[in-house]
Each structure stands twice: as structure tokens, then as C-alpha cells.
Amino acid sequence: MARANLPRRRLLQGAAAAAGGALLPMRALAQGAASPRFAIGASDFLLDGKPLQIRCGEMHFARVPREYWQHRLQAIKAMGLNTVCAYLFWNYHEWREGKYDWSGQRDAAEFCRLAQKEGLWVILRPGPYACAEWEMGGLPWWLLKKHPGDAYLRTRDPAFVDPARRYLREVGRVLAPMQATQGGPILMVQVENEYGFFGEDLEYMRVMRQALLDAGFDVPLFQCNPTNAVVKTHIPELFSVANFGSDPAAGFKELAKVQRGPLMCGEYYSGWFDTWGNPHRRGDNAKAVIDIQAMLEANGSFSLYMAHGGTTFGLWGGCDRPFRPDTTSYDYDAPISEAGWVGAKFKAYREGMRPFLAPGEVLPEPPARNPVMAIGPFALKESAAVFANLPARAIKAVSPEPMEQYDISRGLVAYRVQLPAGPAGLLAAAKVRDLAWVYIDGKQLGTMDTRHRRFSVAVPARSKPVTVEILLYTIARVNFGLEVHDRKGLHGPVTFTVKGGAAQALENWEIRAIDFDADGTLPPLAFKAGRAQGPAFWRGGFDAARQADTFLDMSSWGQGIVWINGRCLGRYWSIGPTQTMYLPGPWIRKGRNDVVVLDLTGPRSARMAGLTEPILDQLNPELDLARPPSTVRPALADVVPAGAGEFAAGGATQDVLFAAPVAGRQFCLESLDAFDGKQYAAAAEISLLGKDGKTLNQQSWTIAYVSSEELKKEDGSALNAINGQASDHWHTAYAGAAAAGAAHPHRLIIDLGQRVAVAGMRYTPRQGPDTVTGRIKQYRVYVADKLVSE
């Protein structure tokens, strides 16, 4: 059936050529030595000289219990796919510099062997950067000790390139023998990941390509980029594929501008990831099937991201920018669920691909669902206060530095300092990554929260010297953009300021840490019966007669981490949307099972149970850390707009240049109306341009004010407009009471973290068909030091 539609593919290429794109012959794509089995031809992928249409699905072996790898691979095969795509996460294999781990759950070679056994080819994506909603995008934390700057990762700086080369040599040692050239299943290897989202140094991509060649990879090498970055990041030495979640024709058109070869989508989004405090995301089955069939009809290939999402077990979850931590569940609304179940989406995809099977190809039946069981409610009756179980050895520091400088990777860090007697004032840190609880002589005074750049607490007057203790909890390092330079801990100087006075630095700190390290290692803990005061570890257990999957109900707990039989299961947070934790059957013992829970805010009830269904979409915003009610309002009356006009219709990214650069700390986009005439406004992404025409660093950006955002029916929060992901968007409210009276003008005000010169803005409209709501027509933009009043 695909052959009958070859003319459509040629039309796509012809349209691209007419647009002025240079079509590069495949002989220019020196991506590696030609494989005797697999090659990239002028119009097809070729396996043993015959056309191969790649129907691929992503699955991360790190997110699936090793005992279930084969089960999930069988489901991928049964869905109609012939290839599995697999990331490697550098930090998963080299958490401590120079110490590599490919054993057990990390056995990438065994995963490839199992894929081959199940009749699947493998596309390998070794990084060094991955993204994937994984801690620091897969980059190891110790890179942050090698350079003081915030712009050297993913560059040609030796502080990054030298360790990356060593890592890729190690990858080659382990996995080069698994290439198709050596009888294995690996057909292609990806260089870096979506570099066009990050930078423009094409020589860097050549350096990374050479590192993989030097590591012994001789199958074709390729790069992937979002549709709007394909052209700017293409180099003739690498085959290019496009990533998108809609409009395959546009993605394939961009590919046809830069190379003559088979068309491929490197990531087609079956759903989306979840972040704590926001609604569970879902994908549109019918729309996805239409897109998949359109790609197959155009003789295109694709990889579903994700075919099976799984679970980000342990402490490996990442964080969207500017700071939106990802949930432990990586269900992704994928066609194969977190627990490996198949349902309506799986069946729709399977039937959608069935007409495009190769002659004689037969789809196997999906594997049976693994057993599931309920576990009756049980109590955790012992507790161990965090402060009473800190290590005795303290680090001495005049002023706190990022914790990586103390060789602390992640976990809990307690800071202690003396504050003299005196009047009330404000205790403030330069930065807090991520959450912190502040105590005076053992009594909690307040919290610091990097999500809202709240780095200070009010301290009352004191008649005598007091001990200040700050307990800091690291959640995840940002996995996207320049923000991957995410140094954790309490950053000094930490100051105390009396009203009307000068800030005084607090010095001579004691620092103690519980470093959870790579796999969430628990320290020795002294448990006692009853409820400890403040943040604490809790211990209990349950008996099981058999091994079967279950979902631990964490809805009565606060925020923290769970361990089962000494294995770190992952993080939980009562704000949702996820209220359960997937516990695979093979990790349950027959007989007694030990459970330890770290709860930083305290459980409402120290009990849990095992459910037979997950809870993925239950929000409890009232259980979040307390924050003062917002009284922020826009203050634009006396500000002259930096620019005004009308955006072009459609979904293309658009640059708006101001008549002259304007300096300020805050930026406002004001939507005056929409192209569809409705009351809504939306934006997929907002970037600002500097005097050099390049986008400004967004590392310190926060939302200062938004007039309206949809938080019930979907995650349409304002933060989506500055997270670097065009696949999601800010959308004004359209459901419930929040939608009443939410009409134009709509305003989104961004605090840039510091005063900068802004020469223009880059606006990406909400993506999707032309029928989507919220595409802004007429607009005004403002730049000033302060655009809000409080």
C-alpha cells in the first residue's frame, strides 16, 4: 500500500525544492561506513538491499523492570512495530566520574539481545544529552563541578567534550558489538538530541559525530530536531529526521529541503509527560492514527514517543523549565500503559498500521496482562526524625556554595548557623534549589520554594541568640535548555536584613547531608515507635502470598520518597496528579515486605494500601506548600509599548523586532484579540531577542502575572509559554468559574530575573490545525523594570 502512494512523497520533495531547499545527494551523508545489511538509500532505508519502512516505538529500559523487558518488547511487536528506540542516560551508567555500571537493570546489551530475540531492530540514542524528562537530561551532575559557568554543557568546551568522549568510548565498548554490521540489531545511532532546540554550533555536532565514529560505531549516524529546527542544524555528514506531534507533511517538507533520502519522524508524540501540580496529559487517538497513516502513505518511517513510557523509578525524574518537576509515573498516555497494559489506544494504533504491513507479515497477539493484586491497608508505626538522623560529620563553610562543590549529588541537606538577638527582619538566600524548610530553635518558621523564586522568610524579633536550621530537599535537575546547568543547594550569600537597614551576611555555617546517590541509598536510621516531629522517615510493612503488580496509594501522605525492600521506588507528592506508585510484582517478596517512606511535610494518615488501578489524574492544590495570596496586578498605564502590531495567521514561529532595544526586568505580552474572534488567547512559546538577534537566557525567568490560565480541563498554565516546548501551550481559562469574564485583553507578564536589553520577541502560536483556539491576532508588548503592582 505504501508503494501505491510514492507519488505523494515525491510531491512533498518537489514542493520543498520549489521553496529553495538544497537537496543533498546521499553520497554526501558520510554518517559512517556502509553497513552490509542496512543502508540509507536515495528514497528508502535498505535492509539487505530491499526497502525497509521503519515502524518504531520508544521504550526506555531504565524505566521498565528488567524482569518485564521481554513482556514490553512483545507488546511493541504486537502493536505493529518492527523497531524499538532506546535512549542511554549517561548519568545512569556513570553517576560517579569514571565508575561505569552496565549490570542488572542497566544492562543495555541484554536489552538489545532481547529485542533481537523478539524480532525487533534497535535504534540507539546514546546522548551524551538525552532530555527525556530524566535527571539533568541524562548528563551527570559532576560535570557541574568542572566549570563555574552556565553555558559550557553541550558545547565544545573541554570541560564537557573530554568527559563526553570518554563516555561514548565506553558506550562503544559495550554496544558496538550489537550493531547490524556485527550481527546485532542496532540499525542506526543518534548523535546528541534535538540540538536545534539548544544551540547553533554545527561544529559541535561534528565533534559529537566523530566521537561516535571513534567509539567504533559504523552503522548510519543521524540527528533529530523539531520541524522548525531541521534546516538550521542540518549538516551533510549526518542524516536528519524530524520530531513532531502533528502535521507530518510540514515535517517531511523540511527534511526534503536539506537531503534526498527516506523521510522519517524521529519522535511522534503519542501523549505527553506529567508534571507535579498539573493535570494528567492525554493524546488524541484518532488524530494520531490519521498522522501515522499519513506518514506510512508517504513512504515515511517513524518512531512513536512513547510506545511504552513506564516509570521513572528511583530519583531519576527530570524537571521541565523553568522549574516544573516531572512525576514518577511516565505513563505518557502511551499505547502501552505504565504497567504494560494494552487498551483502546493500542488497538487503534495496531489497526491503523495493519494495512501497511509488509507482504506476509503477521501481527502476533499482545502478551497477557501481568497479574495484579490489591494489598490491604497497613500502617507505618515507626518513625525516625530527619534532624536526629543526620551524619555526625559536618562540612564547615563561611558561606554556602552549590552543594556539588561539596561532592553532594542529591538528597537532603541541612544547614545550620547562629543568628544573634535583635529586631525582626528578613532572612534571604541568593538562590534555593529546590525546596527548603526554615526552623528557628527547632520551630518551623516558613518555606523557600524555587518554583516561585521565593528565597526568603520573615524572622521575628529575638531576645537571645537563636539557631537557624534550613532543611533542603532536591527534587530533580532541569533536563532542558541552558537550565541544565542546575546547581543544587542553598546558594550564598545568605543575609539578614532589618527593615531600613543594610543586608548582613550570615557566616560560619555547618552543613550535613544525606546523599541518596545514584540509587536512593538509605542511611542508617534509628526508628522509634510513634510519630516523630517534623520531617521524618517512616517504617512499616505488609505480607504478600504471591508476586503481582500493585499500585501503592500515597494519597494520605505529603511529599517525599518511598523504598520497598531497600529499593528506591520513587518520589510522591500529594498535590498530584499522580496519587499512586506503580510497584512491579517481581520486586515484592513472598512473605514480609519492608516499606520506608520519607515524608517532609507529614502524613495526614501514616497508612497505605495497594490498589489494582492507578490514580493518575487527581489534583490537590490545597496540599501544596503554603504561599502568601497573590495581590499582583498589571501596571501598564504609564508604560509606552515597546511594540504593537498583528501576528501572521497560522502556526509558524514569528520574530518581532522593536524600533530600538528596551531595557527592563519584566516583559508583557498583551493579546487584544484572536484570529478566530473568540475570547481566548494562547501561546506555545515566548522567547526574547537580545541586541545580537539571539534568544536571551531564560534560566531565571518566572511568571510575574497572568490574567487567565486553564488548569482544569488541561494543563494550559502560563509556564508552558516559557518552558521551551512548542508541543504544549499557555491557554486562557475556558472551563469552570475561572472562564467567566475571561475576555480580551489578556496579559502574560514575565519576570526575567534581572535587567536586560530586549530587542524583540519570538512568538510561537499554539500548534495544531488552523481550527485551534487562542492564536493571537493583534498584540502589544511592554518592557520595563516593573510592570506589576502588589
Side-chain angles (χ1 to χ4, degrees):
M1 188 165 181
R3 274 184 203 165
N5 287 277
L6 281 174
R8 176 175 173 177
R9 177 173 59 84
R10 295 194 183 107
L11 283 173
L12 277 171
Q13 292 180 328
L23 293 174
L24 301 178
M26 290 309 299
R27 60 182 170 78
L29 299 172
Q31 60 270 48
S35 165
R37 292 217 62 194
F38 179 77
I40 300 176
S43 59
D44 296 281
F45 295 110
L46 301 173
L47 182 64
D48 296 330
K50 298 179 181 178
L52 172 68
Q53 195 169 30
I54 296 174
R55 306 187 306 271
C56 182
E58 188 102 10
M59 167 185 163
H60 305 151
F61 61 83
R63 285 180 159 127
V64 179
R66 177 174 174 148
E67 298 88 340
Y68 285 163
W69 286 352
Q70 190 166 14
H71 178 271
R72 307 302 197 259
L73 290 167
Q74 289 172 348
I76 284 173
K77 179 76 172 178
M79 187 164 52
L81 304 177
N82 56 24
T83 308
V84 63
C85 195
Y87 268 131
L88 297 183
F89 303 120
W90 179 1
N91 55 13
Y92 195 57
H93 299 285
E94 192 187 1
W95 184 250
R96 296 283 174 176
E97 186 173 10
K99 297 179 180 179
Y100 296 102
D101 189 351
W102 301 94
S103 64
Q105 185 68 37
R106 293 171 165 85
D107 192 345
E110 176 62 14
F111 178 79
C112 291
R113 284 189 285 269
L114 285 173
Q116 188 171 29
K117 180 181 176 181
E118 295 302 328
L120 293 166
W121 299 102
V122 174
I123 294 175
L124 184 67
R125 307 212 283 172
Y129 167 77
C131 188
E133 294 71 61
W134 190 267
E135 159 83 8
M136 206 169 153
L139 301 178
W141 65 276
W142 46 262
L143 289 172
L144 298 171
K145 300 191 295 183
K146 292 183 172 293
H147 195 294
D150 289 332
Y152 66 95
L153 298 176
R154 303 179 71 191
T155 74
R156 284 183 285 150
D157 191 304
F160 177 76
V161 167
D162 292 348
R165 282 193 179 116
R166 289 196 301 269
Y167 158 69
L168 290 174
R169 278 200 301 271
E170 174 68 7
V171 171
R173 182 188 70 81
V174 174
L175 291 176
M178 302 302 298
Q179 297 176 97
T181 50
Q182 300 183 42
I186 297 175
L187 293 181
M188 295 196 295
V189 176
Q190 182 176 295
V191 179
E192 242 271 357
N193 185 65
E194 294 189 325
Y195 179 69
F197 257 139
F198 181 84
E200 299 176 352
D201 182 7
L202 300 186
E203 191 57 33
Y204 166 75
M205 290 299 293
R206 293 186 171 98
V207 169
M208 290 296 101
R209 168 187 173 272
Q210 189 60 49
L212 281 166
L213 294 175
D214 293 343
F217 286 100
D218 55 11
V219 294
L221 305 182
F222 72 101
Q223 67 166 316
C224 73
N225 276 294
T227 295
N228 62 5
V230 165
V231 173
K232 77 169 187 175
T233 53
H234 179 78
I235 57 174
E237 299 96 321
L238 288 174
F239 181 72
S240 283
V241 304
N243 295 353
F244 48 79
S246 62
D247 200 355
F252 285 175
K253 195 172 183 179
E254 291 302 294
L255 290 173
K257 289 180 181 179
V258 297
Q259 64 192 20
R260 179 177 288 115
L263 302 164
M264 182 166 183
C265 173
E267 292 181 1
Y268 180 82
Y269 305 111
S270 60
W272 203 244
F273 59 89
D274 290 339
T275 56
W276 292 114
N278 296 292
H280 175 54
R281 303 287 191 88
R282 292 179 173 85
D284 186 320
N285 295 3
K287 172 184 168 297
V289 170
I290 290 170
D291 285 348
I292 290 168
Q293 290 186 329
M295 289 187 278
L296 292 172
E297 287 173 357
N299 198 36
S301 296
F302 62 82
S303 180
L304 300 177
Y305 193 101
M306 300 289 296
H308 171 51
T311 310
T312 312
F313 295 112
L315 307 178
W316 295 106
C319 184
D320 202 11
R321 69 180 192 179
F323 191 82
R324 304 176 77 190
D326 301 308
T327 60
T328 299
S329 171
Y330 201 63
D331 179 83
Y332 215 88
D333 195 35
I336 304 167
S337 80
E338 179 179 17
W341 302 348
V342 302
K345 176 171 281 192
F346 177 95
K347 293 173 183 175
Y349 282 29
R350 175 180 161 102
E351 293 309 309
M353 285 183 269
R354 189 185 293 277
F356 300 90
L357 300 180
E361 185 178 3
V362 178
L363 294 183
E365 288 301 308
R369 180 182 290 195
N370 288 317
V372 179
M373 68 178 177
I375 297 171
F378 60 94
L380 281 69
K381 297 179 180 179
E382 297 177 301
S383 63
V386 169
F387 282 114
N389 285 271
L390 294 169
R393 188 182 70 84
I395 299 166
K396 307 285 188 178
V398 173
S399 180
E401 296 184 62
M403 68 188 219
E404 291 84 3
Q405 297 305 312
Y406 307 124
D407 206 37
I408 303 168
S409 65
R410 58 184 170 194
L412 297 170
V413 188
Y415 300 82
R416 176 182 291 182
V417 73
Q418 298 300 307
L419 181 65
L426 191 70
L427 182 122
K431 186 186 290 186
V432 176
R433 302 293 285 199
D434 299 319
L435 305 180
W437 289 259
V438 182
Y439 297 82
I440 298 288
D441 285 344
K443 182 179 179 181
Q444 184 176 324
L445 197 64
T447 60
M448 297 179 177
D449 189 337
T450 198
R451 292 175 297 166
H452 310 296
R453 296 190 63 81
R454 193 172 71 242
F455 302 149
S456 62
V457 295
V459 177
R462 302 154 317 284
S463 60
K464 61 179 183 178
V466 296
T467 299
V468 176
E469 290 179 294
I470 301 175
L471 181 64
L472 181 135
Y473 172 55
T474 65
I475 303 178
R477 290 183 176 88
V478 175
N479 56 258
F480 189 80
L482 283 170
E483 292 81 356
V484 295
H485 299 80
D486 190 0
R487 295 177 174 87
K488 296 301 187 184
L490 185 71
H491 295 210
V494 181
T495 61
F496 185 75
T497 308
V498 175
K499 187 174 182 179
Q504 301 294 317
L506 297 181
E507 297 183 336
N508 301 317
W509 293 77
E510 291 184 357
I511 304 170
R512 292 176 172 84
I514 297 175
D515 191 332
F516 291 136
D517 215 54
D519 292 320
T521 305
L522 275 170
L525 297 169
F527 285 100
K528 298 178 181 179
R531 185 181 186 115
Q533 293 299 308
F537 294 90
W538 294 76
R539 185 169 67 182
F542 63 92
D543 293 314
R546 62 192 180 107
Q547 291 180 308
D549 293 353
T550 193
F551 300 89
L552 292 181
D553 182 359
M554 301 302 299
S555 58
S556 69
W557 294 79
Q559 179 186 20
I561 305 169
V562 175
W563 289 262
I564 175 77
N565 296 325
R567 183 194 294 266
C568 186
L569 192 61
R571 302 183 192 272
Y572 68 93
W573 199 347
S574 56
I575 63 174
T578 310
Q579 299 294 337
T580 52
M581 301 190 72
Y582 173 54
L583 174 54
W587 296 355
I588 296 175
R589 299 173 184 155
K590 290 182 180 179
R592 189 65 177 172
N593 290 268
D594 299 318
V595 178
V596 173
V597 176
L598 168 65
D599 198 315
L600 294 160
T601 59
R604 295 176 301 288
S605 172
R607 298 172 64 83
M608 66 175 66
L611 309 181
T612 57
E613 296 276 349
I615 302 172
L616 299 178
D617 197 6
Q618 180 179 314
L619 292 174
N620 297 314
E622 72 280 2
L623 299 178
D624 205 347
L625 299 184
R627 56 184 296 203
S630 176
T631 58
V632 173
R633 294 292 180 268
L636 307 176
D638 299 323
V639 183
V640 177
E646 184 175 307
F647 290 122
T653 298
Q654 303 166 46
D655 285 359
V656 175
L657 299 179
F658 305 155
V662 182
R665 178 178 171 133
Q666 295 187 337
F667 168 86
C668 174
L669 170 62
E670 184 177 41
S671 170
L672 302 178
D673 59 13
F675 276 99
D676 61 7
K678 295 181 180 178
Q679 67 191 54
Y680 311 116
E685 199 62 28
I686 296 171
S687 302
L688 299 181
L689 306 175
K691 293 179 181 179
D692 59 0
K694 296 182 179 180
T695 55
L696 297 176
N697 188 335
Q698 298 181 203
Q699 193 165 10
S700 299
W701 289 16
T702 56
I703 301 299
Y705 170 84
V706 63
S707 57
S708 175
E709 55 187 346
E710 177 54 46
L711 300 175
K712 283 187 172 291
K713 289 291 188 180
E714 66 168 304
D715 177 10
S717 61
L719 282 170
N720 290 339
I722 59 172
N723 69 357
Q725 306 273 8
S727 298
D728 57 17
H729 52 267
W730 160 58
H731 197 293
T732 55
Y734 59 82
H744 288 93
H746 293 292
R747 299 182 178 104
L748 176 61
I749 301 177
I750 304 168
D751 188 287
L752 309 179
Q754 60 184 342
R755 197 170 196 266
V756 294
V758 182
M761 71 168 291
R762 178 167 294 163
Y763 164 70
T764 302
R766 177 186 178 184
Q767 298 300 286
D770 289 340
T771 55
V772 298
T773 57
R775 286 183 175 167
I776 299 169
K777 185 177 182 182
Q778 295 183 83
Y779 67 89
R780 285 194 290 256
V781 292
Y782 303 82
V783 178
D785 287 329
K786 196 168 181 64
L787 294 173
V788 296
S789 61
E790 301 183 36

